[in-house]
Amino acid sequence: MLITALVQGQSTSISPYSQFGIGDLNRIGNASISGFGGITSVFNDPYNINPGNPASYGHLNQTTLQVAARANFLQLDNGSATQELNLSHLNHVYVCFKPAGARWGLTLGIAPYSSTGYESSILRNQEIEGNTADIRDNYSGNGGITQGFIGFGRRFETANYIHFTDPFNNIIDSLRYSKHSLAIGVNGNYYFGVIEEERSIDFQDPNFLDTRITSRNKMKSFGADLGLQYSYIFSQKYDQDKKLKERWSVTAGLSYTPEMSWSTSLKELGETTQEFSLVSFPIDTTYIINGTGTTLIPQRITGGLSINYQGNKGREISLAVEYRTQEWSTSERTINGEIFNPQLADFTESSIGVRFVPKSIQDAQNIFGRAHYYFGVRTSE
């Protein structure tokens, strides 16, 4: 409960672009997924919780707790000046309950879904009644949406056997393996949060009255994520000691988040203000809005494919690609029957990642040999 309050109460964005839509979107996942190019659709590591595709829960080895923090370092450049900003915050808390030997996992988690945090201004000149006035437009905002979820994933496997024979072709031993593996999963999500924003027109001449508008958007809704992963072993070899020499497999993954309609309440206040000793005091109220309505969040589709190699002593190499899309151009907000279209663009992202494990835990002699290494690149628009 304390961690939940901490995740919801902290500022998680310092980007001026977070003033658009519902703010900067947070990437759900973990540190390994970030290193893997952000790939979630085919990620099913036995030691990492992957909420990006709930089908992966059944691949975990045991009950797992996962907590992460994130640090952002930004350099903003407007052509004439630069500014460096940094921010660190708690990113997520996940726990997956996985009985030993079970093919299912139950996960609880909380993480930021979007974040708003910006403060910017524009100085301009405008002619008013024959005189030139210096005007500063100010924009600021903070808050965000938090995602809490409970998810379930299960793995289904086929029973296949490799037989070992003696020189007379008599079967002396067998090994059981799964040539086909199918995993499915679902997350039940609850989204909640508040975005507070302020914009003002400030005349540099103190004799003019200024304008200030403050708004508070409170949003909440239920949603779901659906996940699917399929793996197929198309080639493998064992030595006479029944130890794996090499194995080649392919994994395909797909996750889908349906379109959502978030319940939204808006409180907006318009005021005229005047500055005294660098402090703005309200003079009069121009309007008040207490409205309710909905915010449309578009569907998200993510698909990926990976080729996996396993060698002797537990060596593993995986190469994965992924494509993600979300049609934000369809997003709109309706308050008291009036439609507000933020005119956002569609989101697309392409990723490629490599995972490398030098040796298994049993064969490695030190932490560097048993560690899992991730390399990745992603490009998004």
Side-chain angles (χ1 to χ4, degrees), residues 8 76 129 184 229 236 305:
Q8 186 181 6
L76 307 178
E129 297 181 353
I184 57 175
Q229 288 183 340
Q236 60 181 353
L305 186 71

Side-chain angles (χ1 to χ4, degrees), residues 219-220 260-265 291-297 332-340:
M219 289 172 273
K220 59 183 178 180
M260 295 175 285
S261 183
W262 289 1
S263 174
T264 304
S265 63
T292 58
T294 59
T295 299
L296 182 65
I297 305 298
E332 61 183 25
R333 182 172 298 172
T334 303
I335 300 294
N336 291 345
E338 184 176 355
I339 298 176
F340 300 89

Side-chain angles (χ1 to χ4, degrees), residues 243-244 311-315 358-366 369-370:
K243 292 184 177 181
L244 181 67
N312 57 356
K313 295 186 177 180
R315 179 176 289 111
K359 293 182 179 181
S360 67
I361 292 180
Q362 293 79 15
D363 294 310
Q365 298 180 355
N366 54 56
R370 71 179 60 174

Side-chain angles (χ1 to χ4, degrees), residues 29-335:
N30 55 52
S32 297
I33 289 175
S34 296
F36 203 37
I39 294 175
T40 60
S41 58
V42 294
F43 188 96
N44 56 15
D45 187 273
Y47 305 103
N48 282 279
I49 302 173
N50 172 24
N53 190 338
S56 64
Y57 300 153
H59 289 275
L60 284 167
N61 277 352
Q62 58 191 353
T63 295
T64 303
L65 171 67
Q66 196 163 289
V67 183
R70 171 177 291 182
N72 298 327
F73 303 92
L74 297 181
Q75 179 174 299
L76 307 178
D77 189 342
N78 68 357
S80 60
T82 60
Q83 183 178 10
E84 293 185 354
L85 303 170
N86 60 78
L87 175 72
S88 59
H89 58 89
L90 184 67
N91 191 62
H92 65 251
V93 180
Y94 308 141
V95 59
C96 181
F97 301 96
K98 177 68 162 55
R103 296 182 181 179
W104 58 269
L106 179 67
T107 300
L108 302 173
I110 188 168
Y113 180 81
S114 73
S115 53
T116 299
Y118 63 91
E119 185 173 352
S120 60
S121 62
I122 302 172
L123 184 62
R124 59 186 172 90
N125 296 320
Q126 183 172 332
E127 185 174 330
I128 301 177
E129 297 181 353
N131 296 316
T132 300
D134 294 328
I135 302 174
R136 184 178 295 276
D137 299 321
N138 302 304
Y139 304 89
S140 64
N142 64 84
I145 307 301
T146 300
Q147 175 184 354
F149 68 91
I150 178 171
F152 179 83
R154 195 189 192 288
R155 186 177 83 250
F156 303 89
E157 297 179 339
T158 60
N160 305 96
Y161 296 89
I162 290 181
H163 302 293
F164 298 89
T165 60
D166 60 16
F168 302 100
N169 209 30
N170 296 315
I171 297 176
I172 57 175
D173 205 350
S174 299
L175 278 179
R176 183 182 183 276
Y177 74 101
S178 299
K179 190 170 186 176
H180 303 271
S181 175
L182 175 67
I184 57 175
V186 59
N187 284 335
N189 305 318
Y190 180 65
Y191 304 91
F192 60 97
V194 175
I195 298 176
E196 296 179 332
E197 297 178 288
E198 180 179 302
R199 56 192 188 274
S200 64
I201 300 175
D202 180 14
F203 287 87
Q204 302 301 287
D205 186 341
N207 295 316
F208 283 92
L209 292 180
D210 301 325
T211 299
R212 180 173 63 194
I213 299 173
T214 56
S215 62
R216 187 176 190 269
N217 284 281
K218 184 177 182 181
M219 289 172 273
K220 59 183 178 180
S221 179
F222 290 97
D225 303 315
L226 308 176
L228 176 71
Q229 288 183 340
Y230 170 74
S231 297
Y232 172 70
I233 298 174
F234 58 86
S235 175
Q236 60 181 353
K237 295 180 182 178
Y238 286 83
D239 59 22
Q240 289 302 314
D241 295 327
K242 297 183 288 296
K243 292 184 177 181
L244 181 67
K245 293 178 62 178
E246 68 172 27
R247 173 183 291 163
W248 291 89
S249 64
V250 61
T251 300
L254 180 69
S255 61
Y256 174 68
T257 302
E259 181 181 271
M260 295 175 285
S261 183
W262 289 1
S263 174
T264 304
S265 63
L266 169 65
K267 293 184 178 181
E268 187 166 282
L269 172 65
E271 300 173 294
T272 55
T273 64
Q274 194 162 25
E275 186 175 292
F276 297 98
S277 301
L278 302 179
V279 178
S280 293
F281 292 91
I283 301 299
D284 195 8
T285 298
T286 56
Y287 71 92
I288 297 176
I289 296 178
N290 283 307
T292 58
T294 59
T295 299
L296 182 65
I297 305 298
Q299 65 179 4
R300 182 177 64 230
I301 302 175
T302 306
L305 186 71
S306 70
I307 297 178
N308 316 296
Y309 168 81
Q310 293 176 272
N312 57 356
K313 295 186 177 180
R315 179 176 289 111
E316 298 181 28
I317 302 175
S318 297
L319 173 64
V321 294
E322 183 178 86
Y323 181 77
R324 178 177 303 190
T325 181
Q326 193 168 13
E327 296 180 346
W328 282 99
S329 60
T330 64
S331 177
E332 61 183 25
R333 182 172 298 172
T334 303
I335 300 294

